[in-house]
Amino acid sequence: MTEADPVNTFRLEARELLETLEQGLLDMDADPTNSEVIDAVFRALHTIKGSGAMFGFTAIAEFVHDFETAFDKVRKGLAEVSPDLIRIALAAKDHIALLLEEEDQDPRSGDGILTELSVLVATGTGVQGTVAVVIDKAVEPGAGAGDVTDWRIYFRLGQDALVFGANPLLLLRELQDLGACDVTVDIGAVPTLSSLDPEKSFLAWEVILRGCASREAIEDVFMFIRDDMELELAPLDQQVKGAEEAVDPAAQKTLALAPAEQLAKSDNRTAAGGGSSLRVPAERLDDLMDRVGELVIAQERLNQLAHASDDVNLKAVAEEMGRLSAGLRDTTMGIRMVQIGTLFGRFRRLVHDLSSELGKDIDFVTIGEDTELDKTMIEQLADPLVHLIRNAVDHGLESAEARREAGKPARGTVRLSAFYTGAEVAISVSDDGAGLDPARIRAKAEESGLLAPDAPIDENALLRMIFHPGFSTAKEITSLSGRGVGMDVVKRTIDGLRGAIDVSTVKGEGSTITLRLPLTLAIVDGMLIRVGKERYSIPLAAVEECVELPAAVAHGSKNRSFLNIRGSLVPYLRLRDLFGVEGPPDTHPKVVIVSSGDIRVGLVVDQILGNTQTVIKQLSKLHSEVKTFSGATILGDGTIALILDIMNLVDFGQKIDARDTKLGRAA
């Protein structure tokens, strides 16, 4: 088993820290006085700097050091948070990400950002009037250390510290940031030249730090190397007192070690509290899912053999194996499921930047962040949601002046929400803007040749025209929209995920676009049915109930397409007719009532065979246009069963409902 590359590990952790940094900066923009958020941002910066120096990312460490120095004024209340400060800080975060991904970047390429940040903090030129502060090496009065004003710090790095990327000069610079320093180098442990190993550290440093730095601030400087170094820290006045008042050496040793021990205890408490986690490559999860899928198929085969046998022991083993494989399947699926909030958080920066670019004040609201979805779907939803949010901000929301004239608040609202609905997850992007204009969409569709003049079309189908390739109602092309590409990307991606799109709008009040997606693309419980001689699988979560097809309907006119289910009319589809099955139907056909959202449709089948665990296999690209089936599965006997696409069948049933309703009115 190959050992993980520590540099790649740093990159992964740094990306997470940068995401935390970005979210923290956006939180600061929304709540500038929240000290906890400001401290969280500062901790993220400090961790990136320390880890970067440790793993040899010197350019990142130096850039973040200067970023942190300027930002420290904000943390200490000497500079206020302003929109300009957040804008520059976000640009600095982006530059750190660039340095992380492209190591050949010029180390001084971020100097302009740092200069602008320093000038802003120092001169108070922010929009909200930041306090004038000069960034220097002195520590401001009131930094807080009780009566202690001066410290004696003695530290010696571990001999392998240089090999692992530790830089004593950076440590000394950080101490300088805390106050005026007198530094003395201890060379007593340096060996003779003949036995000197240039990769090992033999020097020690004594630093007299003058000012009001706190013990915590000094300990933070050595946060990432405490376990492998010698560190002594004591107030200077205790060092210069008489021997009778001097600190006992044992006490000094305890003083130096206590913070590290406290940190270890804190880590132990975290682990004991269940907060620990393990980073696993996504490829291994995919491989595990494939193995579980094969196990499910083998389990179904074992069940068939057990049912066909009179061996009681075989039946018992099959039952136990079924329980274990079901538990393993559920656990594996749980590992693959990811809270959609990890995706939603990315769009706060998008809305923040669009708000600045378009000059629109926007409230971005997210709902249902704890809704879980298969990780493979989460990864593919990023681009569609970006296009939908950009469209809502650019096209949906009016300018502040137009909103006031319409009697609305000047600030617009964009909502991103997720919630469960049956066997699906619905993700909605809504705005409180002007809404879609059906007349304008129709005019554009006729102009583009997508719709014949005066051709009848219902409003829902008309609104779906916005997803046609190249379709756009924008009057002019801008950097954000106008070419009709984005919504086409949304449609193609959602179709590829076996999902559906709903569009609703109210003129003057806003629009909502809802993406309806299956919970997972891997393994689902299915109901096995027979139509003619072929077997098919229906996702069990979409099944509401099963009923007998009334004899009068079974042998009556095929033009009648409704069933009365406890007082509710439900349209139904005869799958024999839909699939072109020849031969006489069974004597007692069944109806499986399925639902998608709030819509129900009945599927007439010849026989219900029972429930089965369905391992979904995607159809080939040659069958991408076949909308009736979402995939295929291998049954226990090795044969193939197609999986019905409930969303498309329900949509097809709605069209039959609308057709029959229209014919009834005409009659």
Side-chain angles (χ1 to χ4, degrees):
M1 183 175 178
T2 57
E3 188 175 341
D5 183 357
V7 174
N8 288 335
T9 300
F10 164 71
R11 282 198 170 97
L12 288 172
E13 294 179 350
R15 292 187 190 108
E16 293 178 1
L17 287 167
L18 287 173
E19 191 169 318
T20 300
L21 175 61
E22 180 174 279
Q23 298 305 315
L25 291 171
L26 294 173
D27 287 339
M28 284 176 57
D29 192 30
D31 187 4
T33 61
N34 191 327
S35 60
E36 292 184 3
V37 173
I38 295 174
D39 288 341
V41 168
F42 197 81
R43 284 195 299 270
L45 283 172
H46 196 73
T47 305
I48 293 171
K49 178 183 69 174
S51 299
M54 185 180 301
F55 288 99
F57 288 80
T58 308
I60 290 180
E62 293 181 351
F63 180 85
V64 176
H65 174 80
D66 293 335
F67 183 4
E68 184 185 42
T69 299
F71 206 82
D72 192 37
K73 301 296 180 181
V74 178
R75 185 174 69 129
K76 293 175 178 176
L78 299 172
E80 294 180 0
V81 177
S82 70
D84 276 355
L85 176 68
I86 298 300
R87 173 182 58 80
I88 300 170
L90 287 171
K93 173 262 170 187
D94 292 340
H95 183 70
I96 298 170
L98 186 65
L99 292 174
L100 182 67
E101 302 300 334
E102 301 180 14
E103 295 185 52
D104 57 348
Q105 284 288 317
D106 182 358
R108 312 312 303 174
S109 58
D111 286 356
I113 297 174
L114 294 175
T115 299
E116 189 175 1
L117 180 63
S118 298
V119 170
L120 177 65
V121 175
T123 60
T125 56
V127 174
Q128 296 179 354
T130 52
V131 177
V133 176
V134 177
I135 298 180
D136 53 27
K137 300 300 182 182
V139 175
E140 296 74 17
D147 297 329
V148 177
T149 57
D150 301 325
W151 295 87
R152 176 187 177 274
I153 307 161
Y154 182 87
F155 69 92
R156 183 190 302 276
L157 301 181
Q159 286 200 347
D160 295 330
L162 300 180
V163 176
F164 290 108
N167 188 339
L169 296 181
L170 288 178
L171 299 175
L172 293 172
R173 282 186 62 185
E174 288 194 53
L175 292 174
Q176 269 192 314
D177 292 338
L178 299 177
C181 294
D182 297 330
V183 181
T184 305
V185 181
D186 180 359
I187 61 173
V190 177
T192 60
L193 185 60
S194 58
S195 58
L196 179 66
D197 185 344
E199 293 186 348
K200 292 186 177 181
S201 174
F202 300 99
L203 300 178
W205 287 266
E206 182 184 61
V207 180
I208 304 302
L209 174 61
R210 305 186 187 279
C212 296
S214 66
R215 179 187 300 277
E216 290 77 13
I218 298 172
E219 290 171 347
D220 281 350
V221 172
F222 304 97
M223 179 186 302
F224 299 98
I225 54 176
R226 283 296 303 271
D227 293 339
D228 299 316
M229 68 174 297
E230 176 186 347
L231 175 64
E232 296 177 11
L233 172 61
L236 184 61
D237 56 354
Q238 294 183 7
Q239 297 292 321
V240 298
K241 287 181 180 180
E244 67 282 359
E245 298 179 359
V247 178
D248 183 75
Q252 289 191 18
K253 182 177 181 181
T254 303
L255 177 67
L257 295 178
E261 292 171 355
Q262 291 171 5
L263 183 61
K265 291 179 182 177
S266 175
D267 290 342
N268 290 336
R269 285 194 299 269
T270 301
S276 59
S277 60
L278 178 66
R279 190 187 303 277
V280 179
E283 295 78 9
R284 293 189 182 180
L285 287 181
D286 294 336
D287 187 54
L288 176 61
M289 196 72 248
D290 290 340
R291 297 289 187 273
V292 172
E294 298 299 326
L295 177 62
V296 168
I297 294 172
Q299 171 60 32
E300 288 299 313
R301 176 62 175 160
L302 178 60
N303 283 339
Q304 290 190 7
L305 293 175
H307 286 307
S309 172
D310 295 329
D311 190 335
V312 177
N313 291 327
L314 178 60
K315 291 180 182 292
V317 170
E319 183 177 344
E320 181 67 11
M321 287 296 295
R323 183 183 65 81
L324 293 174
S325 65
L328 179 60
R329 179 204 64 175
D330 293 341
T331 301
T332 306
M333 289 301 302
I335 295 174
R336 286 174 60 97
M337 303 300 278
V338 178
Q339 288 192 351
I340 204 166
T342 60
L343 177 65
F344 281 9
R346 305 179 193 176
F347 303 121
R348 296 180 61 198
R349 172 72 181 279
L350 173 67
V351 174
H352 176 274
D353 292 348
L354 290 175
S355 175
S356 300
E357 184 174 348
L358 297 174
K360 297 179 179 179
D361 292 330
I362 304 170
D363 288 327
F364 182 55
V365 180
T366 58
I367 303 170
E369 294 94 333
D370 57 349
T371 305
E372 292 186 336
L373 198 59
D374 194 299
K375 74 172 186 66
T376 57
M377 303 181 75
I378 291 279
E379 294 164 358
Q380 297 183 57
L381 281 175
D383 283 347
L385 289 177
V386 164
H387 290 297
L388 291 178
I389 292 172
R390 288 166 67 101
N391 203 63
V393 172
D394 191 21
H395 291 301
L397 297 181
E398 316 95 323
S399 64
E401 294 76 11
R403 292 180 65 86
R404 291 192 188 96
E405 292 175 1
K408 297 181 180 180
R411 293 183 68 88
T413 301
V414 174
R415 285 184 174 83
L416 179 59
S417 60
F419 52 92
Y420 296 109
T421 168
E424 305 165 2
V425 169
I427 303 173
S428 296
V429 177
S430 60
D431 63 76
D432 63 348
L436 295 171
D437 186 348
R440 190 173 174 185
I441 293 175
R442 183 182 183 100
K444 184 64 178 181
E446 293 178 357
E447 178 187 334
S448 304
L450 301 176
L451 186 65
D454 301 325
I457 184 173
D458 62 83
E459 182 172 304
N460 190 41
L462 181 62
L463 294 178
R464 290 174 184 269
M465 286 283 184
I466 63 177
F467 296 102
H468 195 278
F471 190 94
S472 176
T473 58
K475 297 180 180 179
E476 60 183 25
I477 295 176
T478 68
S479 60
L480 292 180
S481 60
R483 300 188 183 276
V485 177
M487 303 303 274
D488 176 37
V489 171
V490 175
K491 181 70 166 61
R492 284 189 287 108
T493 303
I494 300 307
D495 284 347
L497 294 173
R498 305 198 324 269
I501 304 176
D502 295 333
V503 183
S504 62
T505 186
V506 177
K507 188 174 181 179
E509 296 183 13
S511 305
T512 299
I513 296 180
T514 302
L515 312 179
R516 292 187 287 111
L517 300 159
L519 280 174
T520 179
L521 299 177
I523 299 177
V524 295
D525 289 323
M527 173 180 286
L528 199 62
I529 62 170
R530 181 179 59 82
V531 179
K533 296 181 180 180
E534 301 298 331
R535 289 177 290 180
Y536 302 90
S537 179
I538 302 175
L540 194 59
V543 177
E544 288 195 354
E545 59 182 313
C546 301
V547 298
E548 290 274 356
L549 183 66
V553 177
H555 303 292
S557 172
K558 292 186 177 181
N559 291 330
R560 184 181 178 187
S561 302
F562 291 92
L563 288 176
N564 188 336
I565 305 295
R566 289 182 296 280
S568 298
L569 289 179
V570 178
Y572 67 87
L573 304 172
R574 296 178 185 266
L575 294 187
R576 291 183 66 91
D577 297 339
L578 188 62
F579 298 159
V581 177
E582 298 180 353
D586 279 24
T587 307
H588 302 288
K590 306 295 186 294
V591 183
V592 181
I593 308 298
V594 297
S595 64
S596 177
D598 298 328
I599 309 299
R600 298 195 299 166
V601 168
L603 304 178
V604 180
V605 305
D606 289 336
Q607 185 182 6
I608 297 174
L609 301 176
N611 296 342
T612 182
Q613 290 186 351
T614 301
V615 181
I616 301 175
K617 303 291 185 182
Q618 297 300 313
L619 299 177
S620 70
K621 293 183 179 179
L622 294 175
H623 302 91
S624 60
E625 298 301 320
V626 180
K627 301 300 183 183
T628 311
F629 307 111
S630 60
T633 186
I634 303 175
L635 300 177
D637 58 4
T639 59
I640 303 297
L642 294 172
I643 303 170
L644 300 183
D645 190 323
I646 299 304
M647 290 184 183
N648 279 290
L649 287 174
V650 168
D651 186 56
F652 190 69
Q654 282 185 280
K655 292 178 181 177
I656 291 179
D657 186 357
R659 181 202 66 188
D660 289 356
T661 302
K662 185 176 180 180
L663 290 174
R665 289 174 179 172

